[in-house]
Amino acid sequence: MNCIFLSPHFPPQYHRFCQQLRVAGANALGIGDAPYGELNPTVRASLTEYYRVDRMADYDELVRACGYFTHKYGKIDRIDSLNEFWLSTEARLRDDFNIYGLRQKNIAAVRHKSEMKKKFEEAGVPVATGRVVESLTDARRLIKQIGYPVVAKPDAGVGALHTYRLDSDDDLQRFFERKPEVDYIIEGFVNGTIYSFDGLTDRNGKPIFLTSHVFSQGIMETVNDGRHLSYYSLRRIPMGLQKAGNRCLEVFDIRERFFHIEFFHTGKNEFTALEVNMRPPGGFTTDMFNYACDIDIYQIWAELLAKGENKVNFERKYLCCYASRKENIPYLHSHEEIIEQYGADICQVDQVPGVFASALGELGYIFRTEKMDRLQEIVRFIHQVDKDKEL
């Protein structure tokens, strides 16, 4: 089997997908713009071969790279990056090289928030009221119906980039004065805790791994307000979330892919859909899958692709949490004190790549525990601010 992986060196842990592809007997063929000699040795060792392009944004270069691999290894069976940024590019390459997977004709439903809303409604899952607006006048017309506060976000945006909460007409006016030249969707603000429905489906669309995470606040607030963040996996998925998530998997027809679907928890067993992502959750959440369940999700994914294996035995043994720290926040406890106090619980500490730091902080702690009170205690210790130094 021949699998092309775009940008195998970034995010830094994603070379493990390629590593496990090789263990499963597949050729892991990397395409990236980093010079081969500058790749981490673990990345180089995980690849069968690497093809460097000058610019990943140059589609013709990617076509030539795929053509080279096809000539040398035969038909390409899969192409992926498991990264939202390259989703449309992957679909285009699959069309051009007749590769199994998500194609361009289906990409709008998983890239444009306005199209996602239609799919959520088809699934019978509640969504925030809103639509794409064409002008300031059009936005005012919509807000007259739904009222403030509202959220404005790019229709085809990634994550919370350039996403804003607007509380008044003055906010709306200022937003349109600096609005990027892209389509924006405006929705009513939903007050609720963000829950995710995460996992991996087989080729028939059946989930072979499922979990859920709860977030301390939305990424929009984290980025725009410069906050630290925590989120943790659940040992039991709420029934309402399970039902809504399963309906979404069917309607979006998610096959042989990771998924990350976000919801607002708005009532006892009520969930309002936010957005769907055809990829693993961001940051180091794939590592959290492993720590929470004592599995290797990289191996599970690779064997699904290379061998079609879809029998996964897992148990959500632990609550696994990620807690970030921001360089501009004066924390009471040092890193050394955190390790001394909770080292037995901590699984991993990561320096976060700069492009992710606004959302995930500059430093992230991953830890696991069986008890919620213990989890909350550790988060409080990591995030406790030194009031004497706080501005």
Side-chain angles (χ1 to χ4, degrees):
M1 183 180 217
N2 299 315
C3 301
I4 289 177
F5 204 93
L6 301 182
S7 192
H9 61 294
F10 191 84
Q13 76 274 31
Y14 272 24
H15 73 276
R16 295 174 191 161
F17 288 112
C18 299
Q19 183 182 58
Q20 290 298 329
L21 279 172
R22 294 194 71 183
V23 172
N27 286 315
L29 308 169
I31 300 176
D33 54 9
Y36 181 76
E38 295 180 9
L39 295 179
N40 189 296
T42 58
V43 177
R44 295 200 298 264
S46 69
L47 298 170
T48 305
E49 189 170 355
Y50 179 73
Y51 189 108
R52 180 182 181 269
V53 296
D54 291 328
R55 293 175 56 249
M56 288 290 288
D58 187 332
Y59 186 74
D60 289 340
E61 282 200 82
L62 298 181
V63 169
R64 286 193 291 273
C66 292
Y68 166 80
F69 283 141
T70 300
H71 177 75
K72 184 169 182 179
Y73 295 96
K75 178 172 170 43
I76 304 302
D77 299 288
R78 297 289 187 274
I79 184 166
D80 218 319
S81 68
L82 305 177
N83 189 321
E84 185 87 12
F85 190 82
W86 301 114
L87 205 61
S88 298
T89 300
E90 296 162 9
R92 187 177 175 187
L93 288 169
R94 291 190 194 102
D95 281 350
D96 288 344
F97 286 86
N98 192 26
I99 299 170
Y100 175 87
L102 187 64
R103 299 295 189 94
Q104 281 186 291
K105 66 180 181 180
N106 306 119
I107 207 71
V110 297
R111 287 285 291 147
H112 292 266
K113 294 177 176 65
S114 56
E115 296 299 318
M116 291 178 196
K117 290 174 77 71
K118 296 176 184 177
K119 287 289 189 179
F120 286 134
E121 289 169 345
E122 183 182 338
V125 177
V127 293
T129 302
R131 57 175 171 80
V132 173
V133 295
E134 299 178 357
S135 64
L136 175 58
T137 301
D138 188 29
R140 284 176 171 150
R141 189 181 304 120
L142 171 64
I143 294 170
K144 186 176 181 180
Q145 299 171 11
I146 64 178
Y148 286 107
V150 297
V151 174
K153 50 191 175 183
D155 190 33
V158 177
L161 192 64
H162 303 304
T163 297
Y164 307 98
R165 171 174 166 158
L166 311 176
D167 291 290
S168 66
D169 198 64
D170 287 343
D171 287 349
L172 183 67
Q173 180 77 43
R174 284 192 293 270
F175 164 71
F176 269 92
E177 288 172 358
R178 65 175 186 265
K179 173 183 168 296
E181 292 299 317
V182 297
D183 287 339
Y184 259 76
I185 187 170
I186 288 182
E187 296 178 332
F189 180 82
V190 178
N191 189 21
T193 302
I194 294 180
Y195 280 58
S196 67
F197 186 70
D198 305 314
L200 176 65
T201 59
D202 66 13
R203 294 178 193 177
N204 296 316
K206 177 185 176 183
I208 62 174
F209 174 74
L210 276 177
T211 191
S212 175
H213 294 85
V214 182
F215 292 75
S216 58
Q217 73 259 343
I219 300 300
M220 177 182 70
E221 293 86 356
T222 304
V223 173
N224 293 345
D225 299 340
R227 303 184 196 176
H228 47 221
L229 168 80
S230 67
Y231 65 97
Y232 60 88
S233 62
L234 294 174
R235 299 185 68 184
R236 173 179 288 184
I237 300 175
M239 184 182 301
L241 180 62
Q242 180 90 52
K243 289 181 178 179
N246 285 340
R247 289 199 297 269
C248 291
L249 293 182
E250 293 176 9
V251 168
F252 282 94
D253 195 25
I254 301 175
R255 296 173 182 265
E256 200 186 76
R257 288 199 70 82
F258 283 102
F259 56 87
H260 171 64
I261 311 175
E262 296 175 357
F263 297 84
F264 289 107
H265 184 210
T266 56
K268 182 176 180 181
N269 213 18
E270 299 172 354
F271 293 86
T272 297
L274 175 58
E275 66 180 50
V276 65
N277 299 277
M278 294 293 190
R279 54 162 175 81
F284 300 90
T285 315
T286 44
D287 295 334
M288 293 171 65
F289 289 174
N290 293 339
Y291 293 127
C293 305
D294 282 336
I295 59 172
D296 186 336
I297 197 65
Y298 306 103
Q299 178 184 3
I300 290 168
W301 176 82
E303 292 186 344
L304 173 64
L305 264 63
K307 302 176 182 178
E309 293 188 4
N310 62 355
K311 303 296 183 185
V312 180
N313 294 318
F314 71 94
E315 176 187 353
R316 290 182 285 270
K317 300 178 180 180
Y318 302 94
L319 300 160
C320 189
C321 183
Y322 176 90
S324 71
R325 304 234 321 193
K326 307 280 283 190
E327 287 182 350
N328 63 324
I329 297 178
Y331 293 102
L332 181 63
H333 304 294
S334 68
H335 169 71
E336 290 72 23
E337 289 171 326
I338 293 170
I339 298 301
E340 180 180 358
Q341 186 80 7
Y342 297 109
D345 303 275
I346 293 173
C347 307
Q348 187 171 309
V349 181
D350 290 291
Q351 294 288 337
V352 180
V355 69
F356 298 137
S358 61
L360 296 175
E362 285 79 18
L363 188 68
Y365 295 86
I366 296 175
F367 58 92
R368 67 183 187 180
T369 176
E370 295 180 2
K371 303 296 184 180
M372 179 59 71
D373 57 354
R374 177 74 169 178
L375 182 149
Q376 293 171 339
E377 174 189 327
I378 298 173
V379 171
R380 284 195 299 269
F381 193 87
I382 291 172
H383 283 169
Q384 189 171 359
V385 173
D386 187 340
K387 297 296 184 180
D388 293 334
K389 296 180 181 179
E390 191 176 23
L391 294 178

